Amino acid sequence: MLLLEENAKSNIEEFDLIIEDLISNETVQKMKNYKQHYDTSCFEHCKNVAFYSYLICKKYHLDYVSVARAGMLHDLFLYDWRKKENGRVGLHAFTHPKTALQNASKLFSLNEKETDIILKHMWPVTLRFPKYAESYVITFVDKYCAIQESIKAYKSKKGMQKLYRYAYVFLSMLVILR
């Protein structure tokens, strides 16, 4: 985990203010009803990604406000991605960024950077390169959080098979992208 700076309390308070209108939204609250990685809800995952991205961008003098807001909305897809009968066409990894952007755009006014972050957070799976440094931060923090959430679940109660499956997919992506 990332170590918080000495002013951790002020960072948490500032972060909470930045995303306050998002997390109080009824539709965003519905993300709590969907599992993202094992026992982690979509809401919790997005909040983790948003917070760690906020810390990184703040430290490096990037747009930490846009990254926090887009991070909170990057997986606003509102369906169980493990079930085929959820009505979507195509593989979740390829389609959910567009779905999340459509849902977020209906609820909130997004700037160009937030739009790019949400739409391209699955790079390199989705082939178009992110336009902003903040988009890359979200992309990598999203993967980091997914791995952390999976390891946490594995350690708590899941078997090695599921961890191997994630590792296999990740390593396969690396080989394909070479």
Side-chain angles (χ1 to χ4, degrees), residues 109-171:
S109 177
L110 304 173
N111 64 35
E112 185 180 327
K113 195 173 289 183
E114 292 164 345
T115 298
D116 189 71
I117 290 168
I118 295 168
L119 194 56
K120 297 178 183 167
H121 79 272
M122 287 300 291
W123 180 83
V125 173
T126 51
L127 299 175
R128 293 183 61 203
F129 284 89
K131 185 175 180 179
Y132 302 99
E134 294 85 352
S135 302
Y136 283 99
V137 170
I138 285 277
T139 296
F140 293 113
V141 171
D142 183 40
K143 286 19 166 207
Y144 170 81
C145 287
I147 291 167
Q148 290 293 77
E149 292 158 6
S150 298
I151 289 171
K152 178 183 168 192
Y154 164 72
K155 285 181 177 179
S156 68
K157 63 184 170 185
K158 304 294 181 192
M160 270 308 245
Q161 288 180 339
K162 289 190 178 185
L163 185 61
Y164 284 144
R165 206 174 326 157
Y166 265 69
Y168 177 76
V169 169
F170 182 73
L171 292 173

Side-chain angles (χ1 to χ4, degrees), residues 12-13 17 41 49 56 58 61 67 90 100 136 139 142 147:
I12 292 168
E13 289 171 356
L17 283 172
S41 73
V49 170
I56 292 167
K58 188 167 183 182
H61 308 288
V67 87
Y136 283 99
T139 296
D142 183 40
I147 291 167

Side-chain angles (χ1 to χ4, degrees), residues 35-177:
K35 295 291 182 205
Q36 180 68 328
H37 304 112
Y38 299 103
D39 296 330
T40 306
S41 73
C42 192
F43 182 92
E44 184 182 358
H45 168 72
C46 286
K47 195 167 181 184
N48 289 338
V49 170
F51 183 67
Y52 289 122
S53 298
Y54 155 85
L55 290 176
I56 292 167
C57 287
K58 188 167 183 182
K59 179 177 174 105
Y60 291 102
H61 308 288
L62 297 171
D63 185 354
Y64 59 87
V65 173
S66 291
V67 87
R69 295 180 65 78
M72 193 63 222
L73 301 171
H74 81 277
D75 280 340
L76 184 61
F77 49 80
L78 302 176
Y79 57 80
D80 183 349
W81 63 269
R82 292 164 188 83
K83 295 182 180 176
K84 301 219 185 277
E85 64 272 4
N86 61 29
R88 72 183 150 79
V89 176
L91 295 173
H92 171 76
F94 296 100
T95 62
H96 83 271
K98 285 184 182 178
T99 302
L101 179 60
Q102 289 168 351
N103 291 339
S105 297
K106 289 176 190 172
L107 299 170
F108 307 103
S109 177
L110 304 173
N111 64 35
E112 185 180 327
K113 195 173 289 183
E114 292 164 345
T115 298
D116 189 71
I117 290 168
I118 295 168
L119 194 56
K120 297 178 183 167
H121 79 272
M122 287 300 291
W123 180 83
V125 173
T126 51
L127 299 175
R128 293 183 61 203
F129 284 89
K131 185 175 180 179
Y132 302 99
E134 294 85 352
S135 302
Y136 283 99
V137 170
I138 285 277
T139 296
F140 293 113
V141 171
D142 183 40
K143 286 19 166 207
Y144 170 81
C145 287
I147 291 167
Q148 290 293 77
E149 292 158 6
S150 298
I151 289 171
K152 178 183 168 192
Y154 164 72
K155 285 181 177 179
S156 68
K157 63 184 170 185
K158 304 294 181 192
M160 270 308 245
Q161 288 180 339
K162 289 190 178 185
L163 185 61
Y164 284 144
R165 206 174 326 157
Y166 265 69
Y168 177 76
V169 169
F170 182 73
L171 292 173
S172 296
M173 284 177 47
L174 290 177
V175 169
I176 291 170
L177 293 172

